[in-house]
Amino acid sequence: MLKRIWKLLIGKAPTPKEQFEHTSDLRQTALSSKEVQSRSAAAKRDTPSVLRSNAVDPAPANEKPRNIDGHPAAKILKGKTFVIDGDTIVISGTHIRIAGIDAPELDHPWGRKSKSAMINLCKGKVVTAVLQPATSYDRMVAKCYLDDGTDLAAELVKQGMAIDWPKYSGGAYRHLEPEGIRKKHWRAAARQRGRYKPGT
């Protein structure tokens, strides 16, 4: 068979010496292939089972990023802001309710002051919003920070332009409220509605 193939390729039958050399080359190639397979199998056997069991499989393409504790990683929005009111801002077209506080509505006597305070905090600065799973009236809920780490909610509470909302903050900002600020907010609203009586 070998002679026929040789004759077709070369045009003549191989000499005994050529036939011997060609057969030797084929045997050497086969041996080399077997040797590579043997070494690969040996390396696999020598690898500690602990390393093999701890190997990290690539995550599926559609799997969401997760933190080290296994919970889904928080989504973050970052950019310049447009201020709606004291506790609502817009970043890249997304309306965001600042988590954990309650600022006066715009029709409240302190509403415009609260909005102005938020504008002053954000003006010319980049805000980072760490989004939470919850939503509030079609707004995303997020903790919002300036690049220097300033917590917008904490700053607004310190200024008396918002109050802590313990239902959602766990009381995280209550200690920052100026003394008597809740009563001041209530009196202003009551006075506006004609319900405030001096001495109450």
Side-chain angles (χ1 to χ4, degrees):
M1 182 67 179
L2 181 60
K3 290 182 179 181
R4 289 180 184 177
I5 296 173
W6 188 285
K7 190 171 183 180
L8 287 172
L9 296 174
I10 308 299
K12 63 177 183 178
T15 65
K17 181 179 179 181
E18 290 173 333
Q19 184 175 346
F20 175 77
E21 291 177 349
H22 184 67
T23 302
S24 297
D25 290 341
L26 291 176
R27 288 177 178 172
Q28 185 63 38
T29 301
L31 287 173
S32 298
S33 177
K34 289 181 180 179
E35 184 177 357
V36 169
Q37 294 177 3
S38 177
R39 289 181 179 179
S40 176
K44 187 174 182 179
R45 287 195 305 271
D46 293 340
T47 302
S49 59
V50 173
L51 296 181
R52 291 200 300 271
S53 62
N54 288 342
V56 179
D57 294 328
N62 60 349
E63 184 175 329
K64 295 182 179 180
R66 292 182 175 272
N67 294 322
I68 192 168
D69 60 3
H71 292 88
K75 183 178 179 182
I76 292 176
L77 284 179
K78 192 171 184 177
K80 296 292 183 68
T81 66
F82 176 78
V83 176
I84 300 294
D85 56 30
D87 54 25
T88 306
I89 61 176
V90 180
I91 299 178
S92 301
T94 300
H95 284 64
I96 297 170
R97 172 67 159 84
I98 297 176
I101 63 170
D102 187 26
E105 300 297 332
L106 291 176
D107 60 356
H108 185 282
W110 288 43
R112 297 287 175 184
K113 293 179 182 179
S114 179
K115 178 179 178 179
S116 295
M118 182 60 72
I119 290 173
N120 290 334
L121 284 171
C122 300
K123 189 175 182 179
K125 298 175 182 177
V126 172
V127 173
T128 298
V130 182
L131 302 179
Q132 299 181 356
T135 58
S136 174
Y137 298 99
D138 297 325
R139 298 170 294 180
M140 301 300 295
V141 177
K143 297 201 69 171
C144 298
Y145 304 91
L146 300 179
D147 278 345
D148 63 0
T150 298
D151 182 340
L152 293 182
E155 287 301 310
L156 212 63
V157 171
K158 285 179 185 177
Q159 295 179 29
M161 296 299 155
I163 58 175
D164 177 58
W165 198 346
K167 179 179 179 181
Y168 299 104
S169 72
Y173 302 113
R174 185 63 184 262
H175 69 287
L176 300 174
E177 292 180 5
E179 185 177 354
I181 194 63
R182 289 175 177 260
K183 185 172 284 190
K184 288 181 181 179
H185 281 214
W186 179 85
R187 283 178 177 173
R191 187 180 294 112
Q192 182 187 50
R193 296 168 185 163
R195 298 176 182 176
Y196 175 69
K197 296 180 181 179
T200 59

